[in-house]
């Protein structure tokens, strides 16, 4: 199993659709006893939260977010934790909105101090 996500900061490697999570968004992860949660913000997202569970290298969580235009949205995401050759963590994600139409895939990677 890849190492714990607790305390790691991750960021998308590419921008999603306008008004959503993008490369300026930062996710701060927490993990304890199979539970995972994170706070995120940046770009068009003023505040977001995710909560779910981890079994092995698989994450299953729901997310909610408040955007700069004052609208909210929520969805479901399944992620695979991958450890990169340089020791950083990558999440390969498949997500689907529950509050609106749309789904897709994304990749977030651990940000090191000089990247942030």
């Amino acid at each position: 199993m890849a190492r714990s996500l607790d305390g790691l900061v991750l960021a998308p490697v590419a921008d999603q659709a306008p008004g959503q999570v993008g490369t300026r968004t930062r996710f701060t992860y927490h993990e304890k006893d199979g539970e995972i949660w994170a706070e995120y913000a940046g770009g068009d997202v003023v505040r977001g939260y995710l909560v779910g569970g981890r079994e092995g290298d698989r994450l299953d969580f729901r997310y909610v977010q408040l955007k700069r235009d004052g609208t909210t949205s929520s969805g479901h995401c399944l992620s695979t934790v991958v450890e990169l050759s340089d020791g950083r963590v990558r999440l390969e994600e498949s997500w689907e909105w529950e509050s609106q139409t749309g789904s897709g895939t994304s990749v977030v990677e651990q940000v090191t101090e000089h990247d942030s």
Side-chain angles (χ1 to χ4, degrees):
M1 184 165 101
R3 73 174 196 264
S4 172
L5 301 178
D6 195 53
L8 299 185
V9 176
L10 287 87
V13 298
D15 283 324
Q16 299 295 319
Q20 298 179 19
V21 165
T23 55
R24 295 175 313 189
T25 308
R26 295 292 181 267
F27 294 79
T28 302
Y29 274 83
H30 310 279
E31 181 175 352
K32 183 177 181 182
D33 300 329
E35 299 172 13
I36 55 134
W37 66 99
E39 306 87 29
Y40 61 97
D44 290 324
V45 177
V46 174
R47 185 178 312 278
Y49 297 97
L50 64 85
V51 62
R54 177 177 182 171
E55 194 169 311
D57 290 336
R58 299 284 293 163
L59 307 181
D60 184 340
F61 60 82
R62 290 211 155 51
Y63 55 90
V64 294
Q65 62 188 33
L66 171 65
K67 295 184 282 189
R68 292 205 180 280
D69 65 6
T71 61
T72 60
S73 50
S74 62
H76 178 235
C77 185
L78 297 172
S79 298
T80 301
V81 181
V82 176
E83 193 153 353
L84 300 173
S85 60
D86 63 5
R88 294 181 304 126
V89 169
R90 166 188 281 170
L91 299 181
E92 298 174 351
E93 304 180 319
S94 177
W95 51 267
E96 182 173 18
W97 291 109
E98 294 179 328
S99 62
Q100 61 197 38
T101 58
S103 62
T105 59
S106 56
V107 174
V108 295
E109 292 184 353
Q110 182 179 350
V111 176
T112 57
E113 286 184 30
H114 63 273
D115 291 334
S116 53

